[in-house]
Every structure is written in C-alpha cells, then in structure tokens.
Amino acid sequence: EVYRMTTSPPVQSELQDQSSKTSAESDDQDQHRQQKQQQQQQQHELTIRDVDSLLFIAAEHLNSVPTKDHLFLLRFNLEVGQKALQMAALSSAAIYLQKAANVLPRIRSPWQEHYGTCLTLFQCRSEVELSMGNYEVGHSIGNEILQRARTLDDKLPTYLTMAIALGREDKVEESLSMSLSVARQLGESPKRFYLMHTMKDLMKIKSFLKNNTDEDIL
C-alpha cells in the first residue's frame, strides 16, 4: 500500500507567511545596511570638509603671528595652496602660494637645500597664474623653473602647462615650437614637413572660425 504525503492548506499558508516574513526581514536588513553605508559616507565627507576648513583656519592663524620656522611656514602655505588648487579655488590658491614664495628669501639656499619643495611651489604658482590668465607672471615663473630644474622630467610639467597657455593666448606657432623642442629633447623629433602641415592646418581652422558665425558653421 502506498501512502502519499500531502501538505494541508493551513500548513502551506503558514509556510508562505514564513517565507514572506523572511523576505521582508531580508529587505529591511538590506535597506538598513544601505542607510548605514550612506550615513558613514556622509560622515566621512563631513570629516574631510572639516579637516579642510581647519587647515585654512590654521593657515590664517599661522600667517598672522611671527615665527622663526620659515621653512615650516613655507611648506604649510604650500600645502594649503595645493589644497585650494585641487578645489579649483584659484584665487585662494594664488594667495597662499604667494605667501609661501614670500618666505623664500628668509631661507638659506632654498633651491639647493630644499629643491623638491621649491620645484613644487613654483610649478603650482605657474599653473595657477596661467590658469587665471596672468600670462606674463605665469610664464616668468615657468621660465625660472626651466632654468633651475635639474632634469628634463622635472621640466616636463612646466613645458606642458606653458605650451597649453600659449595656445590659449592664440600664440599657436610658439606653442608648437615649444612642443617640438621638448619632443626633440625626448628623442621623438617629428619630421619637419609634419610640423609645417600642422601649423598650416591650424591657421586654416583659425581663419575659418574667425570668418564664420556659429550659425554658418552649423
């Protein structure tokens, strides 16, 4: 004789209720976990902002009181200037970087004794000034870097920044000339006719854009 095991409707209903309850609990746990992660992320972001704010406040205080540790003052203003640059606060970056530069005369042989710090400071200052459209100041600082930098690798970021700035100044030939000079130093000198063709193409594009409106181009 064969016995068949069947589940009665009340038992099925109870199992379904338990399954629904378990699923609901799982959803609640996932939602709670997501909320907790969001809260932790927000707290982390708030902490970062708080630290940044404290950094700027500390810089203001430090710059307002006399100090004999000029190297520390320079490096601290440099750090704050870099932070402002990362935040795209160019005006603030320029202020703190200038404060750092003002300390240099009080430090003995800064480029010889603290080469890395000076290089970073001048690179940041050149980038900020050129980004703000202060081309004369930016190029002057950049040229000093090119004179003092010890290796081509140290010069490359400044070459790139200055070449881009020259392009924005509508000095296409100077920008290309600088780029070509760097390429030759890297051993990647392009052929002469290629440079000439590039310059001609750029001049044609420039003339076209100058003599046509946006509606004409579209």
Side-chain angles (χ1 to χ4, degrees), residues 148-161:
R148 293 181 178 273
R150 297 173 180 174
T151 66
L152 179 58
D153 285 342
D154 290 344
K155 296 179 182 180
L156 285 178
T158 302
Y159 273 126
L160 177 60
T161 302

Side-chain angles (χ1 to χ4, degrees), residues 97-217:
L97 293 173
Q98 182 61 56
K99 288 181 181 296
N102 291 341
V103 183
L104 274 179
R106 305 175 188 175
I107 299 174
R108 181 178 179 181
S109 304
W111 277 96
Q112 289 73 27
E113 300 295 331
H114 311 285
Y115 172 78
T117 299
C118 291
L119 180 65
T120 301
L121 172 60
F122 275 66
Q123 286 175 337
C124 289
R125 288 190 65 209
S126 178
E127 179 181 352
V128 168
E129 296 296 341
L130 291 174
S131 297
M132 294 176 64
N134 300 327
Y135 297 118
E136 184 175 352
V137 176
H139 284 304
S140 176
I141 297 172
N143 286 327
E144 186 166 356
I145 295 173
L146 299 180
Q147 292 176 0
R148 293 181 178 273
R150 297 173 180 174
T151 66
L152 179 58
D153 285 342
D154 290 344
K155 296 179 182 180
L156 285 178
T158 302
Y159 273 126
L160 177 60
T161 302
M162 292 176 68
I164 293 174
L166 287 169
R168 290 201 300 267
E169 293 176 80
D170 209 19
K171 298 179 179 179
V172 180
E173 293 185 16
E174 291 183 40
S175 178
L176 287 173
S177 177
M178 177 173 287
S179 300
L180 178 60
S181 174
V182 175
R184 285 173 173 165
Q185 292 181 63
L186 291 171
E188 300 292 339
S189 178
K191 294 180 180 179
R192 181 179 179 83
F193 74 87
Y194 178 80
L195 176 63
M196 294 303 298
H197 282 309
T198 301
M199 292 175 62
K200 289 179 180 179
D201 290 339
L202 287 173
M203 295 302 294
K204 289 179 181 178
I205 294 173
K206 175 184 173 182
S207 177
F208 177 78
L209 293 175
K210 183 178 181 180
N211 297 321
N212 292 273
T213 65
D214 293 342
E215 294 180 355
D216 293 334
I217 295 174

